[in-house]
Amino acid sequence: MNRKHIVCFGDSNTHGYCGDPADFDGAPQPGGAMRYSEASRWPRLLQKALGEEYLIIEEGLNGRTTVFEDPYRRGWDGASYIQPCLMSHKPVELLILMLGTNDAKEWYGATAERICAGMEYLVCRAQNTPCWTERGPNILVVAPPPIAEGYESTESFAEFGPASREKTLALARLYEKSAGRLGCAFFNAGPVTEVNRVDCVHITRRGCRGLAAALEEIIPGLCS
């Protein structure tokens, strides 16, 4: 059986990073990092829901941006890896792009509009990668859940700064407009996910379930 390859390309919220120790269900990892188990990560839940007709491919990386390069972690930007990633998983039926949260960190100095421009650049690179099935480029742009209220009192604030929440709140409107112009599907993850109240950035296990359930409803229509 030729399964439909769906690449989930994102950051720590696609990787399955757990920001609340009380919500952790995975095994200990080097350095104390916490990653949800396969029973809880949203791409794995999506695989279970959609069944064997699909192959859900996890391509989440903690700290990944759209195009902004972290001076301490070279290659963590999506633009550096999107094309080889897609080529390694061809033929690709659908690409799910959920990025933008890390772009809101203060040291990048990016406005919401510049973050959206980074997403547009990724979409264009993906569309021009010879990895697709006969139907051609098929991309779902997902606006990530915004940073939650109260992050100013968490350790996250040291990285993100005072304007970051407002930037992430603006992404859904900007991404939706861009997706329509670029011929992509769009989904807003904010209303269906839950962000923990420890770091106010990462989604909970409940949030993973909500996102997987929502995507389960729309993906068959995008891949028919």
Side-chain angles (χ1 to χ4, degrees), residues 5-10 57-60 64 77-92 94-97 122 125-126 129 131:
H5 293 191
I6 299 179
V7 178
C8 302
F9 193 85
I57 300 163
E58 293 180 291
E59 281 287 355
R64 178 179 280 152
D77 58 299
S80 296
Y81 184 58
I82 186 68
Q83 289 187 311
C85 171
L86 291 173
M87 290 298 289
S88 70
H89 297 300
K90 68 178 184 180
V92 176
L94 175 68
L95 168 64
I96 301 175
L97 278 175
L122 276 185
R125 284 184 68 84
T129 303
C131 65

Side-chain angles (χ1 to χ4, degrees), residues 13 42 98 142-146 187-197 202-204 206-212 214:
N13 275 328
W42 70 260
M98 188 170 76
V142 178
F187 181 74
N188 183 10
V192 303
T193 57
E194 175 186 71
V195 175
N196 78 70
R197 290 302 186 266
H202 295 98
I203 59 178
T204 63
R206 180 180 177 182
C208 288
R209 293 194 296 270
L211 181 55

Side-chain angles (χ1 to χ4, degrees), residues 65-69 99-122 167-168 170-171 173-175 178 181:
T65 64
T66 57
V67 298
F68 301 104
E69 188 166 1
L99 285 169
T101 304
N102 289 301
D103 303 54
K105 290 178 178 177
E106 191 167 58
W107 56 60
Y108 294 123
T111 63
E113 288 75 15
R114 286 190 66 194
I115 295 171
C116 183
M119 175 61 78
E120 291 181 2
Y121 180 76
L122 276 185
K167 293 176 186 179
T168 60
L171 293 182
R173 172 181 56 84
L174 295 169
Y175 280 17
S178 292
R181 186 174 68 253

